[in-house]
Amino acid sequence: MVELSTTKDGIPNQAEASDRVLQILSEAGRLFATKGYDGTSMRDIAVACGISKSLLYHHFSNKDEIYARVAVGSTLELYLFVRDRVPDGPPSQKIRAFMVATAEYFRRYRWAWIASTTAFWNDPDRHRQKERLTRRDRFENFLRGLIQEAIDAGEIRKVDVPMTGRLILSSLNWMHRWYNPNKSATPEQIADIFFDMVFNGLRSGDAAAPPPAEPPKSSRRKARQTSRS
Amino acid sequence: MVELSTTKDGIPNQAEASDRVLQILSEAGRLFATKGYDGTSMRDIAVACGISKSLLYHHFSNKDEIYARVAVGSTLELYLFVRDRVPDGPPSQKIRAFMVATAEYFRRYRWAWIASTTAFWNDPDRHRQKERLTRRDRFENFLRGLIQEAIDAGEIRKVDVPMTGRLILSSLNWMHRWYNPNKSATPEQIADIFFDMVFNGLRSGDAAAPPPAEPPKSSRRKARQTSRS
């Protein structure tokens, strides 16, 4: 897979990317996410980086080139990042690992994630939009495969697989709208809580129906930590 | 509450709104959602409506006035719309009604919904953004109240209330990204399936844990219908 190392601003550290390029991608991601593609100029990006426009043009020939790296680049590595973090084991635990890894990716590359998700409705480049959707499909199909595996293994009841995948992805994809990095729960802990809720259900053991089982130990510990935040 | 009647393009039919104004709001909503605020001009809106720019200016003095009606207007009525559709009864069924009503609102006012949600990161007007967040909070607090009620009644186990609210809202808020009006499942049916999954859990009765109860009859019927789509 593509080797990713963390950078302070959350852009994947690709082989050819210098610190300067990473800084540009990170600041540009933040501007695209908050001001939109049209609302962001090369000048804005240079100012945000504290560099001259000519130095910015030394690295990127135009705004579109920067945008392509930010918006498409982030979904490019997501699949590989998550796939490599799903271990062998019971299928339902693979789904949990899928959710936690996606949340970790979100935490590490948050502004690129937001820029990419914001581009969905208003990316002027149709070809790029199609490419991004193809990558999203690969990611989503990977999850659907895990859900089907869990059904085949008898761990999950016979639910609608695409709909289950959408519920799980919704919980992760909407996180950028409310997640606050200054609060104590990490995205990974939140993903863990969501897995517990969706897998075990909200219904109480005191309700008419039979009680749901206790969630796995690690899940319970994290849920307790974060419920106090 | 504000009386809403459906219009073909999904904008709330307010008292003072003529057919022409509704057409303008609907076309503008679609343009804002797909091209962004900055990417949409008064000229674009006039062309989309098949009217002259002067006629457009007869109804709205500038783009910002149209935008405010589209983006803020849709969250204004959401709370009232949903509140009036949550009946008395067991708290968990109120949560289900909340979800189905939100989905109905989404189906009826889809482009205004999308325009509003797209505006989140890049609305140039901070004051308006704050107003929208206040309204979102009222809507979210209403749901949290229902969840707390269900916990107090022993229908839902002692989960983290804000986190549960976020999981439920995520499933509804992300729908605009994948929902296809040409497929057979309606947003209301999808909301019903999501309620069943979250309330009863995905875990199979064959798994080591005790089996989850059967979902309510109406929920099962709809789940079967849509799982074939």
Side-chain angles (χ1 to χ4, degrees):
Chain A
M1 70 168 280
V2 174
E3 190 56 42
L4 295 170
S5 64
T6 320
T7 69
K8 69 176 170 51
D9 292 304
I11 298 293
N13 194 356
Q14 290 162 328
E16 79 279 21
S18 69
D19 282 353
R20 177 65 76 200
V21 167
L22 291 174
Q23 183 205 14
I24 294 167
L25 293 177
S26 172
E27 292 296 337
R30 192 184 299 259
L31 288 166
F32 289 142
T34 51
K35 299 178 68 179
Y37 177 85
D38 289 325
T40 302
S41 68
M42 285 295 267
R43 198 186 124 79
D44 294 336
I45 297 168
V47 168
C49 297
I51 61 176
S52 67
K53 262 181 83 176
S54 63
L55 181 54
L56 178 59
Y57 278 105
H58 170 73
H59 291 291
F60 292 96
S61 58
N62 54 50
K63 183 171 75 168
D64 205 63
E65 195 185 327
I66 303 180
Y67 188 79
R69 271 292 281 282
V70 170
V72 179
S74 66
T75 47
L76 170 66
E77 285 94 2
L78 174 60
Y79 168 73
L80 299 170
F81 183 93
V82 171
R83 189 195 62 185
D84 279 18
R85 280 162 181 78
V86 172
D88 279 336
S92 60
Q93 289 309 306
K94 289 187 189 177
I95 295 170
R96 181 167 165 260
F98 175 99
M99 293 177 71
V100 171
T102 304
E104 182 187 347
Y105 188 91
F106 163 75
R107 178 177 54 76
R108 288 168 69 165
Y109 311 117
R110 196 160 72 94
W111 280 107
W113 177 296
I114 290 169
S116 175
T117 203
T118 304
F120 182 85
W121 288 105
N122 48 19
D123 189 337
D125 186 330
R126 287 280 145 194
H127 170 73
R128 198 164 51 205
Q129 190 147 0
K130 206 178 155 192
E131 199 181 329
R132 193 163 47 233
L133 286 175
T134 304
R135 285 177 181 159
R136 275 277 155 185
D137 282 350
R138 187 174 58 164
F139 182 64
E140 191 157 0
N141 285 333
F142 177 54
L143 174 60
R144 290 182 185 181
L146 298 180
I147 295 165
Q148 189 60 57
E149 220 183 294
I151 293 173
D152 294 344
E155 296 182 3
I156 282 185
R157 58 192 172 102
K158 288 186 181 58
V159 285
D160 182 297
V161 172
M163 209 62 92
T164 305
R166 284 175 192 132
L167 174 64
I168 288 171
L169 288 179
S170 298
S171 72
L172 302 169
N173 286 335
W174 195 250
M175 210 186 287
H176 74 279
R177 289 292 280 270
W178 61 268
Y179 170 68
N180 182 346
N182 301 320
K183 296 277 176 79
S184 59
T186 66
E188 292 95 317
Q189 289 170 328
I190 294 164
D192 208 45
I193 293 169
F194 283 166
F195 172 78
D196 166 57
M197 288 179 178
V198 172
F199 185 64
N200 293 306
L202 298 178
R203 206 186 44 232
S204 166
D206 302 334
E214 291 293 317
K217 264 187 177 170
S218 65
S219 169
R220 285 167 66 197
R221 193 176 61 242
K222 284 178 185 169
R224 274 188 203 137
Q225 281 171 356
T226 51
S227 65
R228 287 192 201 108
S229 68
Chain B
M1 70 167 280
V2 175
E3 189 57 42
L4 293 170
S5 63
T6 319
T7 68
K8 68 176 170 53
D9 292 306
I11 297 292
N13 196 358
Q14 289 162 329
E16 80 278 24
S18 68
D19 282 351
R20 178 65 77 198
V21 167
L22 291 174
Q23 183 205 15
I24 294 166
L25 293 177
S26 173
E27 291 296 336
R30 193 184 298 261
L31 287 167
F32 289 142
T34 51
K35 299 177 68 180
Y37 177 85
D38 289 324
T40 302
S41 67
M42 285 296 267
R43 198 186 123 82
D44 294 336
I45 296 168
V47 168
C49 296
I51 62 176
S52 67
K53 264 181 78 172
S54 63
L55 181 54
L56 179 59
Y57 277 104
H58 171 73
H59 290 291
F60 292 96
S61 58
N62 54 48
K63 184 172 74 169
D64 205 61
E65 195 184 328
I66 303 180
Y67 188 80
R69 271 292 282 280
V70 170
V72 180
S74 65
T75 47
L76 172 65
E77 284 93 3
L78 174 61
Y79 168 73
L80 299 170
F81 183 93
V82 170
R83 189 195 62 186
D84 280 16
R85 280 162 181 80
V86 172
D88 278 338
S92 60
Q93 290 308 306
K94 289 187 189 176
I95 295 171
R96 181 167 165 260
F98 175 98
M99 292 177 71
V100 171
T102 304
E104 183 187 345
Y105 189 90
F106 163 74
R107 178 176 55 74
R108 288 168 69 166
Y109 310 116
R110 195 161 72 95
W111 281 108
W113 177 296
I114 291 169
S116 175
T117 202
T118 304
F120 182 84
W121 288 106
N122 48 20
D123 189 336
D125 187 330
R126 288 280 143 195
H127 170 73
R128 197 164 52 205
Q129 189 148 0
K130 205 179 155 190
E131 198 181 330
R132 191 162 50 233
L133 286 176
T134 305
R135 283 174 181 163
R136 275 277 155 186
D137 282 350
R138 187 174 58 166
F139 182 65
E140 191 157 359
N141 285 333
F142 178 53
L143 173 60
R144 290 182 185 181
L146 299 180
I147 295 165
Q148 189 60 57
E149 221 182 293
I151 292 174
D152 294 344
E155 296 183 3
I156 281 184
R157 58 192 172 102
K158 288 184 180 62
V159 283
D160 182 298
V161 172
M163 209 61 92
T164 305
R166 284 174 192 134
L167 174 64
I168 288 171
L169 289 178
S170 298
S171 73
L172 302 168
N173 286 336
W174 195 249
M175 211 186 286
H176 73 279
R177 288 292 280 270
W178 60 267
Y179 170 68
N180 182 346
N182 301 320
K183 295 277 175 79
S184 57
T186 67
E188 292 93 318
Q189 290 171 326
I190 293 165
D192 208 45
I193 293 169
F194 283 165
F195 172 78
D196 165 57
M197 288 178 178
V198 172
F199 185 65
N200 293 304
L202 299 177
R203 205 186 45 232
S204 166
D206 302 335
E214 291 293 317
K217 265 188 175 169
S218 65
S219 168
R220 284 168 65 196
R221 195 176 60 242
K222 283 179 185 170
R224 274 186 202 138
Q225 282 171 355
T226 50
S227 66
R228 289 191 198 106
S229 67

